[in-house]
């Protein structure tokens, strides 16, 4: 009797690592990140950001909004009143984690963050954000604050419509860009024919190395 087909995410179906040198692997990893900002169905479109807190650690998903391979930066957006912003102000070092089950590829980025709210960097990103994206910054209650009933994250009158460009400007005061300087990137590719783990360090000096998985 033939075995039932394995799901696409099964390690046996994972592609073999498409590159053989550290430099090619590094370029391929950055290409994957870039694809996360350009291709709506890319598994690298979202990531987990893990932060330090006074009490321990915290983590949540965010959308990858920008990638600069040459300078080793990535960006994401958040509400400036969110808990993660307070955590990053107190502890700017954090980790970004990506997982592509199709390719069986994990990317782990050690980052140092910088918050942009009232400067030209935040202005530039805000200008490029569509009203559908701006809607998320129109919440009157502070994110994470207790509510007497379910609250959708935007004013009631916008339940089934988008704000006008003019209405969306009210969200600018709540908009924050988190700039992430990548200090190191680690990739892990899972395969039954052998896992591949490598580290690309950028700070304090550039180094790349294979690691035992
Ligand atoms: C797929 C997905 C994408 C998300 N993208 C973002 C994002 O880009 N920015 C953001 O602030 N929150 C995003 N969230 C919500 C966060 O995961 C989190 O619930 C929220 O920001 C509050 O986090 P905090 O209290 O730790 O600040 C996303 C959640 C999911 C499930």
């Amino acid at each position: 009797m033939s075995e039932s087909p394995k799901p696409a995410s099964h390690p046996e179906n994972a592609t073999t690592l498409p590159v053989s040198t550290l430099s090619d692997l590094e370029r391929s990893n950055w290409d994957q990140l870039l694809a996360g900002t350009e291709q709506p169905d890319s598994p690298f479109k979202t990531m987990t950001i893990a932060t330090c807190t006074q009490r321990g650690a915290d983590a949540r998903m965010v959308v990858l909004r920008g990638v600069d391979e040459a300078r080793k930066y990535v960006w994401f957006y958040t509400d400036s009143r969110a808990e993660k912003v307070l955590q990053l102000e107190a502890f700017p070092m954090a980790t970004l984690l990506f997982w592509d089950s199709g390719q069986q590829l994990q990317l782990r980025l050690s980052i140092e963050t910088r918050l942009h709210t009232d400067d030209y960097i935040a202005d530039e990103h805000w200008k490029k954000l569509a009203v559908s994206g701006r809607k998320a910054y129109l919440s009157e209650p502070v994110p994470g604050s207790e509510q007497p009933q379910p609250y959708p994250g935007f004013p009631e009158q916008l339940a089934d419509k988008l704000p006008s460009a003019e209405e969306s400007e009210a969200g600018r005061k709540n908009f924050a860009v988190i700039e992430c300087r990548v200090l190191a990137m680690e990739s892990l590719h899972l395969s039954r024919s052998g896992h591949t783990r490598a580290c690309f360090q950028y700070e304090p000096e550039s180094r790349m190395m294979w690691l035992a998985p």
Side-chain angles (χ1 to χ4, degrees), residues 55-167:
R55 278 168 286 138
D58 206 349
R60 79 293 284 154
M61 305 286 295
V62 289
V63 174
L64 178 64
R65 295 294 191 157
V67 171
D68 183 338
E69 175 182 357
R71 291 171 56 231
K72 314 300 182 212
Y73 277 86
V74 302
W75 291 266
F76 71 91
Y77 302 160
T78 193
D79 191 304
S80 58
R81 304 164 294 175
E83 188 64 30
K84 69 178 88 50
V85 171
L86 299 175
Q87 294 169 359
L88 290 169
E89 277 175 333
F91 304 99
M93 313 300 254
T95 294
L96 298 177
L97 187 67
F98 299 83
W99 167 241
D100 177 350
S101 64
Q103 292 190 80
Q104 296 283 295
L105 177 65
Q106 171 180 268
L107 293 184
R108 182 157 55 160
L109 274 52
S110 302
I111 54 163
E112 182 171 9
T113 58
R114 199 170 147 200
L115 177 69
H116 296 278
T117 49
D118 291 332
D119 57 13
Y120 79 96
I121 291 184
D123 284 342
E124 287 303 305
H125 284 268
W126 179 255
K127 265 189 233 159
K128 287 187 238 152
L129 194 61
V131 287
S132 53
R134 290 180 172 194
K135 189 172 169 179
Y137 299 93
L138 294 173
S139 170
E140 280 142 20
V142 169
S145 59
E146 188 172 336
Q147 299 300 310
Q149 58 214 27
Y151 178 73
F154 43 77
E156 211 176 283
Q157 67 272 21
L158 295 176
D160 48 10
K161 61 174 185 154
L162 292 175
S164 66
E166 197 186 345
E167 283 169 328

Side-chain angles (χ1 to χ4, degrees), residues 6-58:
K6 304 241 172 3
S9 60
H10 193 279
E12 275 180 26
N13 289 330
T15 52
T16 49
L17 193 70
V19 291
S20 56
T21 69
L22 279 165
S23 300
D24 286 351
L25 178 57
E26 183 192 22
R27 196 166 317 114
S28 163
N29 289 343
W30 280 99
D31 286 349
Q32 309 271 356
L33 293 179
L34 198 58
T37 63
E38 291 171 348
Q39 296 168 11
D41 56 351
S42 165
F44 295 91
K45 185 178 153 86
T46 55
M47 59 198 175
T48 297
I49 174 161
T51 47
C52 298
T53 77
Q54 301 287 357
R55 278 168 286 138
D58 206 349

